Amino acid sequence: MTAQRFARSVSILGATGSIGASTAAVIAEARATGQADIVVEAVTGGSNVGALVDQAAALGARFAAIADPALAGDLKDACAARGLSIETGAGPAALIEAGARPAEWVMSAIVGAAALDPTLAAVRRGVAVALANKECLVCAGDLVLAEASKSGARLLPVDSEHNAIFQCLQGQTRVETLTLTASGGPFRTWSLDRMAAATPDQACAHPKWSMGRKISVDSATLMNKGLELIEAGRLFGLPEHRIDVVVHPQSIIHSLVTFEDGSVLAQLSEPDMRVPIAYALAWPDRLGLSTRRLDLAALAQLTFERPDMERFPALALAREAFRMGGAAPAVLNAANEVAVDAFLNRQISFLDVAGVVSEALERAGGLDLISKSPSSFDEVAAIDAWGRAEARRAADRRRAA
Ligand code: NAD
Ligand code: MG
């Protein structure tokens, strides 16, 4: 079957990050090979004006927005200095405008719950939203899904595990269980003593994937897999006990689906985020990509092991939050964002990250805050703020100790 050349207008929220760069690379290849006509409507960045202007220029974007409102003038000046006559904006409203502008396909790749408002602006327009960001589904999953079904927006999973499952589910029925694979991160074989002294750079040195610092720390604690467990539950509508996690250090099998007849389908590729991004961009078709091809004989072995819950308690915490339901996942996510930030700023130790999240969850349970799912985005914001404040206090106590 030959694929049709297709046309798309797209926006990239979080264009200056790791996923943003991979998305730009996929667009460049689709254009250069004549597979697609792609118009780039909007790009956003956090605080790196130079990187944002580079992306806007390379992609030919019509609008560029920077999250930090103090950088409005710098962004204008940098565009002028490059001879780029595009519209610019800064601050939260400009990021929402980037999601709201008329693109048919929007990549959601801002890190953390900060992605929520700009992503919602795209979801509410009823277009295709490629979801790399997972924190939004963890903290406000039911509400985001409800908005998507109201507007008719199509959520296309980009997280490699969820994209793998999405690929395996095309045209299928009778799903029994999902199995998420985890690389095990940089500390898979480390002792607890060694982990206790781990530095931010060691935690960010992922053996298989090159990613932003927040998700890299999440991969080192295995909280990333915990967040992904909740993300999978939301996206595919399955309860916690029907989603399994297995450590697979080679990161070749990106996830698996077991069906009611005992059949198992999996998606495999070299670990390269361009593969799931391209699948989301061209879906229900595929794009030709120049990514490295698998050489199974050269790999020789694919191995699997159970996650060690003692050294990686974050995974157990996320499973517990998923089982508890209600607002527990939102507290888990908020506390984790604060704890990771404190670790990256060398305020707490690596093992304290899970400790801080655990304390915040415990306190939320004691207050009965957790029992009810947030019924509005205002409630999500309030729970998120509560979880952050609790985690900051827990981190400060550990710093003082
Ligand atoms: P990154 O840190 O490299 O990039 C994050 C992007 O968000 C950048 O453009 C940054 O400028 C922007 N940003 C940061 N803080 C912001 C804020 N407060 N407001 C607005 N913009 C802000 O991160 P990444 O690795 O590209 O990951 C992005 C998202 O995709 C995360 O949710 C991550 O979990 C998910 N994801 C990433 C990968 C990967 O391979 N990198 C894989 C799967 C899922
Ligand atoms: Mg993933």
Side-chain angles (χ1 to χ4, degrees):
M1 276 196 297
T2 47
Q4 294 289 315
R5 183 186 171 103
F6 65 92
R8 286 262 192 292
S9 58
V10 311
S11 290
I12 308 173
L13 309 174
T16 58
S18 160
I19 291 288
S22 296
T23 306
V26 168
I27 291 171
E29 185 167 355
R31 282 171 167 170
T33 50
Q35 296 181 78
D37 290 315
I38 296 176
V39 172
V40 178
E41 181 65 36
V43 289
T44 79
S47 56
N48 188 337
V49 167
L52 179 61
V53 174
D54 285 347
Q55 275 300 36
L59 292 164
R62 293 172 171 160
F63 177 67
I66 193 99
D68 184 345
L71 295 173
D74 288 10
L75 178 57
K76 271 206 173 75
D77 294 348
C79 286
R82 292 277 295 267
L84 264 189
S85 59
I86 63 170
E87 292 173 70
T88 61
L95 290 200
I96 292 171
E97 183 186 342
R101 286 175 75 116
E104 299 159 292
W105 185 92
V106 178
M107 168 55 76
S108 168
I110 292 171
V111 60
L116 190 53
D117 289 342
T119 303
L120 271 176
V123 168
R124 287 179 173 142
R125 289 190 298 108
V127 293
V129 178
L131 272 182
N133 175 284
K134 60 197 83 184
E135 293 91 346
C136 290
L137 283 179
V138 173
C139 71
D142 294 346
L143 293 169
V144 172
L145 293 178
E147 290 284 344
S149 71
K150 200 159 77 183
S151 69
R154 176 85 220 189
L155 301 181
L156 299 162
V158 170
D159 209 350
S160 57
E161 298 75 7
H162 307 73
N163 187 270
I165 291 166
F166 184 61
Q167 293 199 35
C168 294
L169 288 177
Q170 300 294 307
Q172 299 293 335
T173 56
R174 293 188 176 268
V175 172
E176 195 166 82
T177 58
L178 307 178
T179 304
L180 302 176
T181 51
S183 69
F187 304 148
R188 181 176 64 90
T189 58
W190 286 33
S191 68
L192 258 181
D193 282 350
R194 220 178 141 200
M195 285 165 75
T199 66
D201 284 345
Q202 287 173 323
C204 290
H206 197 279
K208 290 291 168 191
W209 301 95
S210 153
M211 311 181 284
R213 284 173 83 77
K214 194 266 177 180
I215 184 177
S216 294
V217 176
D218 286 346
S219 299
T221 59
L222 287 202
M223 180 59 89
N224 183 50
K225 214 47 55 181
L227 298 174
E228 289 182 356
L229 203 73
I230 300 171
E231 178 188 12
R234 309 274 208 225
L235 283 170
F236 305 112
L238 289 183
E240 174 268 331
H241 66 271
R242 288 173 64 190
I243 311 175
D244 197 10
V245 172
V246 67
V247 174
H248 164 47
Q250 296 82 16
S251 296
I252 296 294
I253 298 180
H254 298 302
S255 278
L256 314 93
V257 181
T258 302
F259 295 91
E260 288 177 9
D261 62 356
S263 290
V264 179
L265 294 187
Q267 185 258 349
L268 289 72
S269 73
E270 285 286 333
D272 185 331
M273 287 307 293
R274 287 178 298 165
V275 175
I277 292 167
Y279 189 75
L281 180 64
W283 182 86
D285 208 336
R286 280 185 194 272
L287 207 63
L289 277 185
S290 60
T291 44
R292 242 177 80 187
R293 299 303 190 251
L294 265 189
D295 181 343
L296 289 176
L299 279 164
Q301 276 195 333
L302 298 180
T303 61
F304 306 93
E305 55 200 62
R306 296 210 183 284
D308 177 344
M309 295 298 202
E310 208 173 300
R311 284 184 305 128
F312 300 100
L315 180 55
L317 283 174
R319 218 179 240 295
E320 195 187 322
F322 187 10
R323 209 165 22 228
M324 289 159 86
V331 172
L332 174 94
N333 179 67
N336 182 57
E337 287 196 30
V338 168
V340 170
D341 202 50
F343 168 67
L344 284 173
N345 291 313
R346 296 177 172 273
Q347 291 158 0
I348 59 172
S349 75
F350 180 75
L351 297 180
D352 278 341
V353 174
V356 164
V357 175
S358 169
E359 270 187 53
L361 268 180
E362 248 168 59
R363 291 180 68 90
L367 291 177
D368 233 26
L369 180 85
I370 273 179
S371 59
K372 199 167 77 47
S373 282
S375 60
S376 68
F377 289 103
D378 285 346
E379 264 182 55
V380 171
I383 288 159
D384 181 85
W386 185 91
R388 280 169 203 272
E390 270 316 311
R392 246 173 241 124
R393 273 193 286 276
D396 285 346
R397 278 195 296 275
R398 278 154 199 268
R399 193 158 43 156

